[in-house]
Amino acid sequence: MGRTTAKRELAQLGPILNTKRRRVDVASDSASESPVAEIQQLTPSRSLSHPPSFPEQELASAISNATGATNDASNIPVESNDIHVCKPEACDRPIAFADKRAQIADALPFNRNHEGCFYTSKNILKGMVIDGAASPRATITDSVIVTTVGGGRELDAASGQMLRTKDQDQGCRKYGRVMDAFEKRLPVSVVIGSKNPSYPVKPPRSFCFMGFFLVTYVWAEKTVAVDGSLVSEYMARLEKIDPHAKSWWMPAGHDTEPVPVGEFQCDGNSCDSCGKYSKTVYTEGWTCLSMSCPEHFGFERPLNPDGLVYNEAFLLERHDNRDILPLPPVIPTLPVANETSCGTESEFKKGIVCPQCGLCSRRVYWWGWACENESAGCGFTHMVPFTNYPLSSVKDECTVMNTRRQLEHIDASIEHRTTSSGGYSIEMYGFPNSEGLVGGAVAVFRATPETCGMPNGPDELYLNMQNEDLRLRRNPARAKGSRREELTSHFAFNYGAFYKFGVFVNSVGFKDAPAPILAGLAQLDWAQSLGITHLIVDRPLGKSMSLKSKKFNELLALGYFEESTISYHDDGEKELGPTVATLSLGSPAVMRFRPKRKTQLGQEGRSKRGDKPSVISFVLRHGDIVIMHGTDIQRDYEHAVTPCGKLRFALTARFVRPESIESHEERQRAVENGQVPEGIASMAYKGYEEAAADALHTPVEQQALHNLPHD
Ligand SMILES: O=C(O)CCC(=O)C(=O)O
Ligand SMILES: [Fe+2]
């Protein structure tokens, strides 16, 4: 392509270069750079036969549930297309794209951040997501991106936008990262979001991979702040590294012949005042582009900085990047099992780029991956067979965990003591409520090798659950259906009465539950009958500590891969009875409780965001049972669980009060679904004979039992 073609390219982009725009988005500026956030005695491999036998309709509806999108092929969910209506169609399609930011973060190794612009790993800039308008002069051409470095903006209450109100801090971390990438010539993976007003074409999807770029220049320019004052901010010029890679973001018919290196050269000058060299970036003439210089942006004649236009040579200049080729692969190969993997390692929770259509797709299902491109009906699936994770490996994980003592602590506000019953030693914790009474109690039943080995006990359950299709899947936890949608870190499925909480989880009645679920339920019911009368401490009890308990009619099964967690939440839905019991199976985990932001409890040591430090944390091991009792504990506290191993299940049983369900039909269904099928007596966990003996209560417990509140 010669000079004329290059000129034509600039002409096509003319309106974009000259448009004066106000910032309309916050994404590129708002968030942290942080990336979101371990044996083997091989036993016969278990393979869940889901995709082959998964009924197509169910798969489709499951996918649509995961994404919250419709099945209408013409309705590709690109948000913010309204700002691009008058633009031409793209000349090609990106090799990887997504409808949701989390799909990009899960699937593309250089763009793992779920929000914000920069993805850095070990302080090295790896990727950028350019979404939203951050500068009046942000520009995208065939091979060049001019964008703000971002950072240091403030939320404008009136407009709800992140705006620059003062000069960008010269020590700004983002500036440091970009300068580092510039100086070391690091390839940066760039993804463009549909909210970027500089998009030269109609965005094909909400997020599209553009390619690897090199930071070729970084400078400071002035721009007009909302109050009319001038503020300085850092800008970066990025250049496509491989000149032969197709620029799909150009209009159809675009000449893709690259501008040769050396054909355009952007000149510059050294500053008389500071001595630093700056390029002639604007058609309006040279100025010093160093923010620290007194002459910074001192053009010969007064100018409206927002009206400045980038110099043609500045945009058309090309660098010889052959030393950086070949570029790292951006599309990861599909995950496959190896000799030491069991299939639940963190690498198997990452997303894939669908080899059929290019959509970045998250691991939604326990059994594997299904392309999330439901609007195009792609239908691609991929599995990595599981290998049974043996209890000996779980034991090794516990040994490692035992060396990390700091994981356990108890605040002075929590009353605690130990008792024993039914073959378990039981740790008892009394939690004060905001009225100063004991509003709730937590009992941790510590399993022994003997209790774990009981018929239908934890050992049997853990192994059986690994060979069973529990229908576990990750569900949208935030902003369902939108480009900001996030899935839960863990996998879930509900059995028995439907349990309505923040995350929609699919559910079937107990009559359709696999045997291990019913065995787990029996064990939790047994623990409840044993444990609840031990939930007594010698402080005055709040009303929510009534010892009325009901047989559980609901069970939520959670599955955790390596690095899966459940973040802080409560189990305080108004439909629930006061007792919630969880059986831990497999890898160990740390459970934490902290007072909620809105209570008066635990004010000391609050974070800037108002989060309170945890008041108690303890380790849960295979076979342990946690019983939370008393509705105030759910009202005033929240809990989180962080597993530390490769495979953990948690079976949590509750009582959904049918009388709290308004709709007659739903109430009926809850009663039916919560009914445990007859004939499961063989599965009932009997525990130890001594369990039944109420006489085991200590004198303190007996006195407290006497003083219980009655409602
Ligand atoms: O994984 C666990 O032990 C906790 C599960 C939990 O908190 C819940 O299901 O609400
Ligand atoms: Fe919970």
Side-chain angles (χ1 to χ4, degrees):
M1 179 170 78
R3 181 174 267 271
T4 11
T5 327
K7 283 219 165 194
R8 197 170 60 233
E9 183 187 318
L10 279 176
Q12 277 172 352
L13 294 166
I16 299 168
L17 293 178
N18 289 302
T19 311
K20 293 181 196 168
R21 286 175 234 99
R22 280 258 150 249
R23 289 183 278 273
V24 294
D25 190 52
V26 299
S28 63
D29 199 32
S30 60
S32 68
E33 301 175 39
S34 61
V36 181
E38 294 133 68
I39 8 210
Q40 215 62 11
Q41 192 182 304
L42 294 178
T43 46
S45 119
R46 64 196 197 272
S47 64
L48 298 180
S49 60
H50 238 339
S53 66
F54 210 65
E56 238 168 70
Q57 253 176 346
E58 196 183 336
L59 182 61
S61 88
I63 294 171
S64 119
N65 231 324
T67 58
T70 66
N71 261 345
D72 177 1
S74 64
N75 183 19
I76 296 170
V78 179
E79 284 180 36
S80 315
N81 247 348
D82 48 330
I83 58 170
H84 309 293
V85 271
C86 299
K87 296 182 183 173
E89 298 291 334
C91 66
D92 205 349
R93 28 162 282 183
I95 56 166
F97 54 88
D99 299 324
K100 297 162 183 29
R101 180 70 189 264
Q103 292 170 331
I104 289 284
D106 278 11
L108 297 187
F110 294 86
N111 297 87
R112 292 241 174 267
N113 52 325
H114 286 240
E115 45 185 19
C117 172
F118 284 18
Y119 174 62
T120 57
S121 173
K122 300 190 178 120
N123 295 334
I124 302 288
L125 179 62
K126 298 281 180 187
M128 290 173 76
V129 176
I130 52 168
D131 192 28
S135 156
R137 265 179 305 282
T139 298
I140 297 172
T141 75
D142 170 272
S143 301
V144 170
I145 299 168
V146 178
T147 182
T148 169
V149 167
R153 295 204 180 88
E154 282 166 25
L155 183 68
D156 176 50
S159 63
Q161 295 171 21
M162 298 293 288
L163 301 177
R164 189 165 304 287
T165 54
K166 53 181 192 300
D167 289 350
Q168 190 165 0
D169 182 358
Q170 293 179 46
C172 166
R173 205 158 46 146
K174 286 191 169 163
Y175 170 65
R177 301 278 191 265
V178 168
M179 277 308 284
D180 182 60
F182 169 55
E183 283 160 5
K184 297 184 180 142
R185 291 170 53 75
L186 304 172
V188 177
S189 158
V190 179
V191 169
I192 183 167
S194 60
K195 289 194 174 174
N196 191 325
S198 313
Y199 226 118
V201 292
K202 287 195 172 77
R205 294 296 263 243
S206 289
F207 297 95
C208 297
F209 172 69
M210 296 177 85
F212 280 100
F213 285 71
L214 203 64
V215 181
T216 56
Y217 196 53
V218 185
W219 69 101
E221 58 181 45
K222 283 194 197 275
T223 181
V224 183
V226 256
D227 65 356
S229 65
L230 291 185
V231 287
S232 296
E233 68 179 349
Y234 289 109
M235 300 293 290
R237 177 194 190 273
L238 294 102
E239 186 175 312
K240 195 172 71 172
I241 296 177
D242 179 358
H244 301 288
K246 190 150 183 181
S247 301
W248 59 262
W249 57 91
M250 287 286 104
H254 169 76
D255 185 348
T256 53
E257 209 184 309
V259 176
V261 175
E263 178 158 348
F264 293 87
Q265 208 118 35
C266 179
D267 60 12
N269 281 310
S270 293
C271 175
D272 289 343
S273 177
C274 71
K276 289 196 181 131
Y277 179 86
S278 296
K279 288 192 173 209
T280 308
V281 163
Y282 311 101
T283 53
E284 285 78 2
W286 182 90
T287 185
C288 178
L289 299 173
S290 167
M291 201 190 285
S292 56
C293 176
E295 296 298 318
H296 175 229
F297 241 61
F299 286 95
E300 270 176 19
R301 56 190 172 85
L303 285 168
N304 171 6
D306 280 4
L308 294 168
V309 173
Y310 291 123
N311 185 357
E312 183 178 282
F314 178 63
L315 293 176
L316 290 172
E317 189 177 47
R318 296 290 179 266
H319 298 74
D320 185 352
N321 301 323
R322 280 173 299 182
D323 57 320
I324 307 170
L325 298 171
L327 292 163
V330 73
I331 299 197
T333 51
L334 291 176
V336 287
N338 61 47
E339 295 123 47
T340 57
S341 65
C342 77
T344 58
E345 285 82 359
S346 52
E347 71 213 71
F348 300 118
K349 221 182 102 194
K350 293 193 169 121
I352 60 166
V353 178
C354 175
Q356 270 173 206
C357 73
L359 186 81
C360 297
S361 298
R362 300 162 292 184
R363 177 144 191 181
V364 173
Y365 303 101
W366 187 263
W367 54 260
W369 295 260
C371 176
E372 294 188 73
N373 209 354
E374 80 292 335
S375 59
C378 175
F380 175 80
T381 59
H382 178 67
M383 288 171 73
V384 171
F386 293 109
T387 307
N388 270 352
Y389 196 60
L391 283 162
S392 55
S393 298
V394 167
K395 215 168 144 198
D396 294 343
E397 291 174 344
C398 286
T399 310
V400 173
M401 192 90 170
N402 291 344
T403 60
R404 298 165 62 191
R405 288 245 173 76
Q406 73 279 14
L407 296 174
E408 304 194 86
H409 78 92
I410 309 174
D411 186 79
S413 64
I414 307 292
E415 184 181 345
H416 62 103
R417 64 193 177 82
T418 354
T419 182
S420 68
S421 188
Y424 289 86
S425 79
I426 305 172
E427 292 161 16
M428 278 283 324
Y429 303 105
F431 284 64
N433 65 13
S434 39
E435 287 89 43
L437 303 169
V438 175
V442 170
V444 187
F445 287 53
R446 294 300 186 186
T448 61
E450 291 71 37
T451 48
C452 284
M454 296 285 283
N456 289 315
D459 291 356
E460 234 181 276
L461 275 185
Y462 185 56
L463 297 176
N464 289 343
M465 283 174 71
Q466 293 186 51
N467 295 307
E468 193 71 59
D469 177 8
L470 301 171
R471 308 194 198 198
L472 300 172
R473 54 163 292 168
R474 296 166 70 199
N475 296 285
R478 200 183 82 187
K480 184 175 178 192
S482 80
R483 71 209 296 271
R484 291 179 302 112
E485 178 188 279
E486 292 288 343
L487 300 179
T488 58
S489 165
H490 55 273
F491 299 77
F493 197 80
N494 192 72
Y495 298 93
F498 182 66
Y499 171 37
K500 222 189 247 178
F501 60 109
V503 176
F504 179 88
V505 176
N506 285 321
S507 188
V508 295
F510 281 141
K511 72 172 182 0
D512 296 317
I517 295 295
L518 298 175
L521 178 70
Q523 202 171 326
L524 289 165
D525 259 323
W526 172 87
Q528 165 174 236
S529 69
L530 174 71
I532 204 162
T533 52
H534 285 281
L535 297 174
I536 312 295
V537 283
D538 46 7
R539 281 190 197 172
L541 299 178
K543 194 157 179 177
S544 96
M545 281 291 286
S546 150
L547 291 191
K548 273 190 187 167
S549 72
K550 286 274 199 184
K551 256 186 153 12
F552 297 126
N553 62 358
E554 178 273 346
L555 186 146
L556 181 69
L558 300 187
Y560 297 87
F561 276 19
E562 186 180 36
E563 290 179 15
S564 295
T565 59
I566 187 162
S567 52
Y568 274 110
H569 68 283
D570 65 53
D571 291 13
E573 285 74 23
K574 63 180 187 344
E575 294 83 10
L576 297 184
T579 314
V580 177
T582 303
L583 171 62
S584 275
L585 297 168
S587 299
V590 179
M591 183 167 203
R592 294 183 175 85
F593 285 82
R594 70 179 182 193
K596 289 187 183 170
R597 284 186 193 180
K598 60 176 193 208
T599 72
Q600 282 312 305
L601 297 158
Q603 297 291 357
E604 231 170 81
R606 270 185 311 166
S607 74
K608 264 192 201 147
R609 292 171 46 196
D611 291 335
K612 318 238 171 109
S614 63
V615 288
I616 185 168
S617 70
F618 45 79
V619 174
L620 295 175
R621 296 178 184 84
H622 171 68
D624 290 353
I625 295 173
V626 173
I627 299 187
M628 292 187 267
H629 181 74
T631 47
D632 286 358
I633 197 172
Q634 309 294 352
R635 185 194 66 184
D636 293 342
Y637 296 85
E638 51 193 0
H639 55 279
V641 178
T642 312
C644 310
K646 287 191 183 170
L647 178 60
R648 176 173 183 266
F649 296 106
L651 302 181
T652 301
R654 303 167 183 85
F655 178 65
V656 179
R657 296 182 300 115
E659 66 274 19
S660 69
I661 303 173
E662 266 170 41
S663 139
H664 174 74
E665 268 166 44
E666 281 182 26
R667 198 182 320 135
Q668 248 351 59
R669 213 172 313 135
V671 171
E672 267 165 40
N673 286 339
Q675 236 145 45
V676 179
E678 281 170 26
I680 65 146
S682 62
M683 235 174 240
Y685 181 79
K686 308 235 166 37
Y688 285 88
E689 293 305 317
E690 57 178 300
D694 248 9
L696 284 177
H697 285 122
T698 63
V700 170
E701 290 171 349
Q702 285 176 2
Q703 180 59 42
L705 270 171
H706 227 77
N707 301 335
L708 274 178
H710 297 283
D711 54 13

